[in-house]
Amino acid sequence: DSGVTQTPKHLITATGQRVTLRCSPRSGDLSVYWYQQSLDQGLQFLIQYYNGEERAKGNILERFSAQQFPDLHSELNLSSLELGDSALYFCASGRLDRGTDTQYFGPGTRLTVL
Amino acid sequence: AQSVTQLDSQVPVFEEAPVELRCNYSSSVSVYLFWYVQYPNQGLQLLLKYLSGSTLVKGINGFEAEFNKSQTSFHLRKPSVHISDTAEYFCAVTRDDKIIFGKGTRLHILP
C-alpha cells in the first residue's frame, strides 16, 4: 500500500460525458502527478501540481483539466469523453529526496467509455 | 531531450533463474533513475532508485540495479526469480522535475 488513494476504482460512462477522478496523496507529500496508461500509448504524464499550483504539463488534452485543493487532494476532470479516453488513470504523490521527487503511485481508476 | 529505452518488451525466464532487464537513457547531464514494477491490475510500485552515492542500488523483493554512467545504463537484476515476479517493469529517469518512463518490459516466469 503506497498510501495514495484514488476513487473511484472503476468508472463506466458514455461518450460525450464528463467525469471526475479523485486522488489523495500520502501524508506530507505536496506534489500530485496524473498519468494515463493505455495499451497503445503506454504511460503518459498528464500534469503535476505542487502545493496547489500547476507545476508541469505533459500530454494533457484541452478537454482534461485538474486542480489541487488546499487539503492537497487533487481532481482530474475529463470532459466530452471519447472512446479513446478509455484507459487507466493513475495519480502519484511526490516527496522531495536529494533534489528530485520520488513518486508513489495510487492503485488507479479504470475508465471505460462506451 | 532525454529519453529512456527499455530494450526488451518481453523477457521470458525460467523460475529460479537469474534475470536482467535492460534500461538505457540518453542524457548528457546528471539524472535520477528509478525502476517501478506493475503487477497485474495494480498501480506502479517503486522497486528502487538511484539518486547519488553508490552505483549499486538494492531494492525490494531481491532486485538490484547498477548505474553505469559511461554506458548510460541502469539495468535491473535479480539472481533468482519467482513466479510472483511476473509483472511489467518500468525504468524511469527524472531531470528538472520531469519524469520520463520507458515503455516497460513484461517479465514472464516459466515453470
Side-chain angles (χ1 to χ4, degrees):
Chain A
D1 185 356
S2 67
V4 178
T5 60
Q6 286 188 251
T7 56
K9 197 170 169 122
H10 300 278
L11 199 47
I12 301 174
T13 188
T15 55
Q17 295 298 305
R18 182 178 190 275
V19 297
T20 298
L21 313 183
R22 183 188 167 104
C23 169
S24 292
R26 298 185 332 154
S27 176
D29 288 357
L30 300 179
S31 284
V32 170
Y33 300 77
W34 285 99
Y35 293 88
Q36 180 193 60
Q37 187 180 39
S38 61
L39 281 173
D40 51 344
Q41 297 285 334
L43 194 61
Q44 298 282 320
F45 165 65
L46 295 178
I47 197 164
Q48 179 202 357
Y49 278 81
Y50 178 82
N51 204 19
E53 301 287 327
E54 183 185 302
R55 186 117 180 220
K57 237 174 179 175
N59 303 324
I60 189 165
L61 301 172
E62 283 192 16
R63 300 184 284 110
F64 296 0
S65 65
Q67 54 184 326
Q68 187 180 27
F69 295 87
D71 66 352
L72 300 177
H73 90 271
S74 179
E75 292 180 356
L76 178 68
N77 300 297
L78 315 176
S79 61
S80 303
L81 285 168
E82 301 174 0
L83 295 177
D85 297 328
S86 295
L88 265 170
Y89 290 84
F90 290 106
C91 86
S93 76
R95 176 164 298 180
L96 198 62
D97 180 6
R98 282 169 281 170
T100 193
D101 264 4
T102 294
Q103 295 185 33
Y104 296 89
F105 283 75
T109 293
R110 183 173 292 279
L111 174 66
T112 303
V113 182
L114 301 174
Chain B
Q2 62 189 24
S3 66
V4 177
T5 303
Q6 291 185 244
L7 295 162
D8 306 298
S9 59
Q10 297 192 60
V11 172
V13 62
F14 286 103
E15 199 169 9
E16 297 183 13
V19 69
E20 178 180 83
L21 305 183
R22 296 181 292 170
C23 173
N24 286 86
Y25 65 94
S26 65
S27 177
S28 58
V29 297
S30 296
V31 295
Y32 305 100
L33 296 154
F34 302 79
W35 275 99
Y36 285 86
V37 60
Q38 185 177 26
Y39 298 105
N41 300 313
Q42 293 187 29
L44 277 72
Q45 181 181 358
L46 180 67
L47 265 182
L48 49 80
K49 58 185 177 183
Y50 171 78
L51 303 181
S52 62
S54 172
T55 57
L56 183 62
V57 181
K58 292 194 184 298
I60 62 170
N61 301 341
F63 284 92
E64 65 180 33
E66 185 154 20
F67 170 58
N68 188 320
K69 190 174 180 179
S70 62
Q71 296 186 5
T72 59
S73 68
F74 191 55
H75 300 333
L76 181 71
R77 300 186 184 101
K78 186 169 182 177
S80 174
V81 296
H82 301 284
I83 196 78
S84 59
D85 293 322
T86 299
E88 187 152 22
Y89 293 79
F90 292 91
C91 181
V93 58
T94 67
R95 181 175 169 257
D96 297 334
D97 293 331
K98 288 185 172 49
I99 186 166
I100 297 176
F101 284 88
K103 292 191 181 300
T105 298
R106 286 196 182 275
L107 180 60
H108 294 283
I109 309 299
L110 307 170

